Amino acid sequence: YMNLLKCGLCGHWITGQAKRKASGRTYVYYHCANQTCSHRKFYIPQSKIEEQLVAAFEPFVRFTPKATKAFITGIQERFEDIDLTTHTQLGELISQKIELEKNVEKIEKLHKAGTLTKKECDELLQTKRASFGKVEADIKNIMSMDNNALNTGLTIIELLQKSNEFMRLSEDKLEKARLAKIVLSNPILENGTIRFDYQKPFDVLRCTSHDQC
């Protein structure tokens, strides 16, 4: 879980260290990587870190209709921002495509008029057509983007509902850390306790009862 947690005192990354006990079993402990930090002396067992990460995902086991609606709204707002950006990019690409078409037409006219040799014409057309192909590919990619906010939101909710079980049962520490980075905001380790906020829009899904929402 390195590069996930920072020290709550000095802000440096938390690092891990394996220790072998007399029984022959190896245990992993985490502590501040800053050698000048007074909290470096505190070694927190990996098992304690994992228990708290599992607890962080418990609110996602079930959702109220209000929390679900708020989450979908948050997802939709993000997609609207993305949609505006992609429409701007699409307009720019279409303008580039039109300009390239004009350039190709101009080059062909210059060749017919004898201003350009066939070799010069072919070289210029090859460059313009390569650029044209790239622009067309970029336009196609933007046009094929799926901006269905509702389906995306529901898919994320379904995955989050399974996330607590994954955090509890999986042995893949790297994937668990990646998931935590996506959902948790600014997690720090302070006196053995992980403190964090939830990333937006996951924060609205903490609500598991109408009283909490």
Side-chain angles (χ1 to χ4, degrees), residues 67-112:
T68 301
K69 183 179 179 181
F71 181 74
I72 295 296
T73 300
I75 289 289
Q76 194 165 25
E77 288 172 353
R78 286 196 172 192
F79 270 97
E80 286 174 355
D81 291 340
I82 293 171
D83 193 49
L84 179 61
T85 302
T86 55
H87 273 77
T88 302
Q89 292 174 341
L90 184 60
E92 291 173 353
L93 287 168
I94 291 173
S95 296
Q96 289 179 35
K97 180 180 177 182
I98 292 171
E99 189 63 29
L100 284 167
E101 287 174 340
K102 288 179 179 178
N103 288 340
V104 168
E105 186 178 347
K106 183 178 179 180
I107 290 167
E108 289 175 340
K109 285 182 178 179
L110 288 172
H111 173 55
K112 287 180 180 178

Side-chain angles (χ1 to χ4, degrees), residues 56-211:
F57 283 80
E58 284 179 0
F60 303 129
V61 174
R62 63 188 188 281
F63 308 119
T64 65
K66 187 174 181 180
T68 301
K69 183 179 179 181
F71 181 74
I72 295 296
T73 300
I75 289 289
Q76 194 165 25
E77 288 172 353
R78 286 196 172 192
F79 270 97
E80 286 174 355
D81 291 340
I82 293 171
D83 193 49
L84 179 61
T85 302
T86 55
H87 273 77
T88 302
Q89 292 174 341
L90 184 60
E92 291 173 353
L93 287 168
I94 291 173
S95 296
Q96 289 179 35
K97 180 180 177 182
I98 292 171
E99 189 63 29
L100 284 167
E101 287 174 340
K102 288 179 179 178
N103 288 340
V104 168
E105 186 178 347
K106 183 178 179 180
I107 290 167
E108 289 175 340
K109 285 182 178 179
L110 288 172
H111 173 55
K112 287 180 180 178
T115 307
L116 293 175
T117 65
K118 185 177 185 307
K119 182 180 179 182
E120 290 172 333
C121 177
D122 289 344
E123 288 175 350
L124 288 170
L125 287 177
Q126 185 178 5
T127 302
K128 297 298 179 183
R129 282 168 180 163
S131 299
F132 188 85
K134 184 180 182 304
V135 169
E136 281 201 318
D138 289 341
I139 290 174
K140 185 178 180 181
N141 287 336
I142 289 178
M143 296 289 287
S144 65
M145 285 182 180
D146 180 12
N147 292 336
N148 191 324
L150 177 60
N151 288 340
T152 302
L154 292 175
T155 300
I156 292 173
I157 287 175
E158 183 181 353
L159 293 173
L160 281 174
Q161 286 177 319
K162 299 175 182 177
S163 64
N164 178 259
E165 183 179 7
F166 173 77
M167 295 296 285
R168 184 165 49 86
L169 300 177
S170 176
E171 295 296 326
D172 192 332
K173 313 294 188 212
L174 182 59
E175 286 303 314
K176 288 162 74 170
R178 285 176 178 168
L179 179 58
K181 282 184 178 181
I182 293 170
V183 177
L184 307 183
S185 175
N186 301 318
I188 63 171
L189 185 62
E190 188 173 8
N191 296 326
T193 300
I194 298 177
R195 305 189 188 283
F196 60 88
D197 293 317
Y198 288 96
Q199 300 272 16
K200 293 183 179 298
F202 301 113
D203 53 343
V204 299
L205 290 176
R206 289 181 299 173
C207 302
T208 56
S209 72
H210 289 288
D211 292 336

